[in-house]
Amino acid sequence: MKLPDELLTIAVTGLNAIDSPGPGIAVIRSLREGLQRPLRIIGLAYETLEPGIYMHEVVDKTYQIPYPAAGTQALLNRLAYIHGKEKIDLLIPNFDAELPNFMKLAPVLQSMGIASFLPDTDMFEARDKVNLYSFGKQHDLLVPRDRIIHQVSGLHECGELFGYPLVVKGKFYDAVVAYTAEQAEKAFYKISAKWGLPIIVQEFINGTEVNIAVLGDGKGNMISAIPMRKLYITDKGKAWSGITLQDDKLLELAASFVKATRWKGGCELEIMRTAKDECYIMEINPRFPAWIYLTAAAGQNQPAALARMALGEVVKPFTGYEAGKIFVRYSWDHITDVNAFHQISGQGEL
Amino acid sequence: MYLRKNIATSENGFIFNPSTGDSFSANPVAAAILEQLKQGMTFSDIKAGLLDSYEVDPLRLERDWDEFINQLREANLLAD
């Protein structure tokens, strides 16, 4: 293990700080602020215009990595090359779609000296949208009823079962609230064309949406949970502003989830709180949310705590945080030079 | 019925409910009433104080009071 004042090299994905941002930049900000030691941040990017690539005060150097569809071997080859140059101590992936490859590679990476702190495949699959209802039933957590359908004709049964409105969801992304059978059909075709099959049709739950950023130690202990309500959302439903909440019921729900799954790493619970004060788990994202810096601002720096656990430190659960902390996201035209763009495009590193 | 314990209020009449993230603005009279509710004063004591401090008809006060309490209830600031 490295000494506390030694340089620590951390590789991070999710540098797409765009209108629907990846969490990478917020994770790096939290690490730089929370670890209080010399850091070298290596960005891992898929696209050449991910803003973080050009933000050199945040990311020291960036390497392009192959898309998840290229498979684990291609990823491993690339990581081995990067590791040869950078001597990575810790890797924090931040995208849902890339996690299966990183989870599979975790033992190999560990043997190379690259630590990570990720859920295992069972945990990851259990909270998948497709399995969420049975997951909720198994662990006594409130989850909306759903049906997984592969054909548009399946919508009819869903309509009879749940009534309208109902929610039509893609396997990976996208959700449409459909108020009529026609709207549901349109949503089915639109979402399946973009994200493939199956389609998840979910009972509509009316209420106030709350999101909880959660960190589990993999042994059933919740290290941190910060609930946040969105104050302003973009047309894609992403939080542009949000506020931390203090509510024991939400924290208990997060703790139950971590205990039931023995969740390891960061995740985000999307909760719908009804007028009857029922808290439904609508979705579980298996990585930090883009607003994760708010956890640091509120007093529980989750990325820094994850890094410490990944490097073998024992981290005690946080107690207390500041409710009423607000984030307001903003956009900024970062200026770079065409040479920088050429370098990342042609050489795959910058 | 009482003001939820975790409700934060400020001197300038700002109210924040940390359970829901909602915030509200109160005028000076409402802010003073909220402060008294926070201190645990009963409704009847607060109303008696208002009658002493302001030239107000008791029936009018009662009507305004009910409306105010309804607003607090709708804003999820009161607990039974």
Side-chain angles (χ1 to χ4, degrees):
Chain A
M1 194 187 294
K2 285 193 167 181
L3 294 170
D5 57 349
E6 273 186 277
L7 179 75
L8 196 66
T9 302
I10 306 181
V12 178
T13 69
L15 306 183
N16 54 328
I18 55 171
D19 62 337
S20 176
I25 298 301
V27 167
I28 297 166
R29 186 180 179 192
S30 308
L31 294 172
R32 287 200 183 278
E33 193 176 291
L35 289 178
Q36 294 170 337
R37 61 184 291 172
L39 288 185
R40 179 166 166 80
I41 299 293
I42 302 302
L44 303 176
Y46 294 99
E47 302 274 354
T48 52
L49 282 175
E50 292 182 26
I53 298 169
Y54 305 96
M55 297 163 68
H56 298 304
E57 69 286 4
V58 178
V59 181
D60 294 294
K61 177 146 187 184
T62 300
Y63 293 84
Q64 264 193 300
I65 54 172
Y67 284 107
T72 50
Q73 192 56 49
L75 178 63
L76 181 60
N77 293 345
R78 184 61 174 156
L79 290 175
Y81 166 81
I82 299 166
H83 187 50
K85 289 191 150 194
E86 302 290 349
K87 299 279 174 287
I88 299 166
D89 295 300
L90 168 64
L91 197 155
I92 305 179
N94 290 298
F95 285 125
D96 300 26
E98 69 183 3
L99 279 174
N101 282 344
F102 280 105
M103 289 183 322
K104 277 181 208 154
L105 289 178
V108 185
L109 295 176
Q110 185 70 55
S111 69
M112 291 161 62
I114 304 175
S116 58
F117 204 73
L118 298 170
D120 64 27
T121 308
D122 287 346
M123 294 177 204
F124 185 82
E125 292 296 332
R127 57 83 248 168
D128 191 285
K129 277 183 204 181
V130 174
N131 304 319
L132 188 62
Y133 184 65
S134 51
F135 168 81
K137 268 187 114 172
Q138 191 186 339
H139 297 294
D140 214 15
L141 298 166
L142 214 46
V143 171
R145 293 175 296 161
D146 67 17
R147 282 284 182 278
I148 312 299
I149 62 171
H150 292 81
Q151 291 175 328
V152 74
S153 56
L155 283 170
H156 181 70
E157 187 202 339
C158 298
E160 287 191 343
L161 198 62
F162 305 141
Y164 286 92
L166 47 73
V167 187
V168 183
K169 287 181 148 184
K171 190 180 170 188
F172 295 113
Y173 193 74
D174 255 351
V176 169
V177 178
Y179 290 87
T180 63
E182 289 73 26
Q183 286 179 9
E185 208 167 294
K186 197 175 158 193
F188 178 95
Y189 287 122
K190 190 182 163 200
I191 295 174
S192 61
K194 199 169 177 185
W195 300 104
L197 292 169
I199 289 288
I200 299 115
V201 183
Q202 202 176 50
E203 173 187 17
F204 178 78
I205 305 291
N206 197 14
T208 304
E209 187 185 336
V210 177
N211 295 38
I212 314 176
V214 181
L215 179 62
D217 70 354
K219 297 169 190 159
N221 303 307
M222 186 173 76
I223 301 301
S224 165
I226 302 284
M228 180 276 296
R229 200 190 99 191
K230 295 173 185 175
L231 293 177
Y232 188 88
I233 57 169
T234 67
D235 54 0
K236 288 180 181 165
K238 302 294 168 189
W240 200 256
S241 175
I243 186 167
T244 55
L245 307 179
Q246 178 66 58
D247 193 296
D248 290 345
K249 191 166 180 179
L250 295 171
L251 300 181
E252 282 161 18
L253 174 63
S256 306
F257 164 76
V258 172
K259 195 175 173 191
T261 55
R262 300 169 78 81
W263 190 263
K264 187 177 179 187
C267 68
E268 181 190 32
L269 305 184
E270 294 185 7
I271 308 295
M272 193 63 81
R273 190 170 208 165
T274 68
K276 290 180 187 168
D277 206 25
E278 299 158 318
C279 291
Y280 281 85
I281 298 181
M282 307 302 288
E283 214 165 295
I284 301 163
N285 299 316
R287 37 82 198 152
F288 286 134
W291 54 272
I292 194 65
Y293 181 73
L294 188 66
T295 67
Q300 298 190 1
N301 190 325
Q302 293 189 3
L306 177 142
R308 289 198 172 97
M309 288 193 288
L311 296 169
E313 279 184 44
V314 176
V315 174
K316 286 184 182 165
F318 285 97
T319 53
Y321 60 88
E322 208 175 324
K325 271 284 179 208
I326 293 179
F327 77 87
V328 183
R329 198 165 278 164
Y330 66 97
S331 54
W332 173 267
D333 295 345
H334 186 81
I335 303 301
T336 188
D337 193 87
V338 71
N339 290 337
F341 178 66
H342 283 171
Q343 199 174 326
I344 186 75
S345 305
Q347 313 284 325
E349 51 191 89
L350 177 66
Chain B
M1 196 177 292
Y2 59 91
L3 192 70
R4 289 182 189 276
K5 287 194 172 63
N6 59 351
I7 302 297
T9 56
S10 70
E11 284 175 4
N12 55 11
F14 186 76
I15 307 162
F16 172 58
N17 183 345
S19 298
T20 62
D22 291 327
S23 52
F24 310 90
S25 288
N27 66 25
V29 179
I33 296 172
L34 285 167
E35 189 52 41
Q36 289 170 326
L37 285 171
K38 275 190 89 174
Q39 288 166 10
M41 287 176 66
T42 63
F43 285 9
S44 50
D45 285 348
I46 297 171
K47 281 191 274 188
L50 289 168
L51 281 172
D52 284 345
S53 306
Y54 298 96
E55 283 184 25
V56 58
D57 175 68
L59 276 176
R60 170 74 192 269
L61 173 70
E62 206 57 49
R63 206 172 60 215
D64 288 353
W65 179 266
D66 287 346
E67 194 181 324
F68 178 62
I69 294 299
N70 270 337
Q71 282 181 6
L72 294 182
R73 194 183 291 119
E74 279 171 16
N76 203 20
L77 298 174
L78 296 180
D80 290 321

